[in-house]
Amino acid sequence: MMAAMQTQYRGELRMNESLSDYTTWRVGGVAKHLYRPADLEDLQTFLAEVAADEPLLWIGLGSNLLIRDGGFNGTVIAMYGVNADIQVEGLDVTVGAGAACAKVARQCAREGLSGGAFFAGIPGTMGGALAMNAGAFGGETWNVISQACMISRSGKLVWRDSDEFDVSYRSVKRLEDEWFVAARLNLQQGDIAKEQQAIRELLDKRAATQPTGKPSGGSTFRNPEGDYAARLIEQCGLKGYRIGGASVSEKHANFIINEDDCTAADIEQLIVFIGNEVERQTSIRLQPEVHIVGDVL
Ligand SMILES: Cc1cc2nc3c(=O)[nH]c(=O)nc-3n(C[C@H](O)[C@H](O)[C@H](O)COP(=O)(O)OP(=O)(O)OC[C@H]3O[C@@H](n4cnc5c(N)ncnc54)[C@H](O)[C@@H]3O)c2cc1C
């Protein structure tokens, strides 16, 4: 994989690493290589040494990823906790891609900044939120981003203004060989107590409406224009429907739960089944929100 194996990198390189430990669904085969960089500089060094044709998969907290049972025949870059600093300067907050969104929300609230509370509802990293344009309870990632720092395949860094990205609902187009390493948020002046209260309310609402205690990938499908995927799936009588160990949540029909030690294949088959059944009954074709990657077993 590397141009020179007597390398300069300081992070942790693992071989044949099981990816089920890296996704919230707790499924997935092994990665040929998995690299956890020591810091941003180390990531730059590592990337400069990776062969140009090595397939790369970036992973944050794996809360929007279905990795197939055959795993990933390339190098996974595990970013959670790497370059994870949060720095506040006035209304500007610079956040590393490896920071957990929940931590970003809490820190913004502590600083009395308004506009970042919604991040508390997203169980991923800032990098994943940037890649997905994650949103919750009326807030959306790219509404508060002014700039994003990208790293290229060769390890070069470049800051890009938000208008250089084509952003839409749960989707962001970026150059294929660039990934997020940090972002600058621009927030408004707010009130500490109000922001902390907003976070508490949001988490209560989430606990009341989502099966938060069970392994899942969050919302499986995007909401179609003017409707809700969960409403359509429920209307089609699919709550509780099961394939192998994967089932449609009784609490939130757009969540698929790893109920009983399921495989990625069980989940993928259930996704296909739900998509077909909803289309058969309603003529609406749901599009998956979760990213499905890797090889079938
Ligand atoms: C219980 C639960 C509730 C959820 N609720 C919500 C919600 O309310 N709103 C919402 O929007 N989402 C929700 N999600 C989905 C998920 O949390 C978000 O999509 C989140 O932004 C994913 O972040 P992550 O770090 O886990 O990304 P991952 O799942 O690790 O990766 C997601 C995608 O982003 C890519 N990626 C990751 N890091 C980078 C990077 N640094 N640079 C470039 N690409 C990268 C990955 O390759 C992958 O394609 C929920 C998930 C769960 C399990």
Side-chain angles (χ1 to χ4, degrees):
M1 171 187 58
M2 311 297 159
M5 284 310 279
Q6 58 283 48
T7 56
Q8 306 293 313
Y9 59 80
R10 294 171 283 113
E12 197 184 345
L13 181 64
R14 295 183 174 203
M15 313 289 175
N16 300 320
E17 178 77 347
S18 169
L19 292 171
S20 59
D21 294 339
Y22 294 82
T23 68
T24 54
W25 250 320
R26 300 277 171 247
V27 298
V30 300
K32 188 177 63 168
H33 302 110
L34 182 137
Y35 190 65
R36 187 179 289 285
D39 50 34
L40 181 55
E41 199 185 3
D42 177 58
L43 174 60
Q44 292 182 266
T45 307
F46 179 79
L47 285 176
E49 293 180 8
V50 171
D53 59 352
E54 174 76 358
L56 298 180
L57 171 67
W58 291 60
I59 189 164
L61 275 159
S63 60
N64 203 56
L65 264 180
L66 178 60
I67 297 173
R68 294 191 175 103
D69 303 308
F72 184 72
N73 189 21
T75 299
V76 172
I77 309 285
M79 283 296 286
Y80 174 50
V82 179
N83 201 36
D85 284 355
I86 305 169
Q87 287 164 352
V88 180
E89 257 181 78
L91 300 179
D92 290 320
V93 186
T94 305
V95 181
C101 290
K103 207 170 166 192
V104 177
R106 284 197 303 271
Q107 177 126 7
C108 292
R110 260 200 308 275
E111 303 280 347
L113 294 173
S114 161
F118 77 92
F119 280 118
I122 296 163
T125 59
M126 183 50 63
L130 288 160
M132 295 303 304
N133 190 20
F137 302 102
E140 208 168 61
T141 301
W142 282 83
N143 286 347
V144 295
I145 300 296
S146 57
Q147 288 184 309
C149 186
M150 312 303 292
I151 193 164
S152 71
R153 252 205 103 95
S154 59
K156 291 205 177 69
L157 301 179
V158 58
W159 277 94
R160 298 194 183 283
D161 290 338
S162 57
D163 60 14
E164 290 182 58
F165 298 88
D166 184 1
V167 175
S168 54
Y169 165 64
R170 300 293 175 269
S171 159
V172 179
K173 288 203 180 75
R174 56 180 166 80
L175 294 177
E176 210 171 281
D177 276 354
E178 277 192 356
W179 297 272
F180 298 104
V181 289
R184 210 156 276 148
L185 283 57
N186 186 247
L187 301 174
Q188 294 103 47
Q189 195 56 57
D191 172 81
I192 296 177
K194 263 193 195 159
E195 290 305 312
Q196 290 180 332
Q197 179 61 20
I199 290 177
R200 275 194 295 274
E201 283 174 13
L202 191 147
L203 293 178
D204 285 349
K205 211 165 163 186
R206 214 176 69 121
T209 55
Q210 297 178 4
T212 46
K214 296 189 171 177
S216 82
S219 290
T220 313
F221 296 95
R222 293 158 205 259
N223 289 323
E225 188 86 34
D227 210 334
Y228 291 97
R231 195 193 72 77
L232 292 165
I233 297 166
E234 184 169 357
Q235 180 195 302
C236 293
L238 295 173
K239 265 190 169 178
Y241 192 88
R242 188 167 170 151
I243 293 183
S247 69
V248 177
S249 166
E250 295 279 1
K251 202 167 178 184
H252 190 308
N254 199 17
F255 278 51
I256 292 177
I257 290 169
N258 180 350
E259 193 73 65
D260 187 16
D261 219 2
C262 75
T263 61
D266 292 340
I267 296 171
E268 194 169 2
Q269 279 172 40
L270 190 50
I271 291 173
V272 170
F273 180 82
I274 295 167
N276 290 341
E277 192 58 21
V278 169
E279 185 172 31
R280 191 182 67 77
Q281 293 193 37
T282 68
S283 302
I284 296 171
R285 186 78 218 170
L286 293 176
Q287 299 300 330
E289 177 176 321
V290 294
H291 288 186
I292 303 173
V293 297
D295 302 322
V296 286
L297 201 56

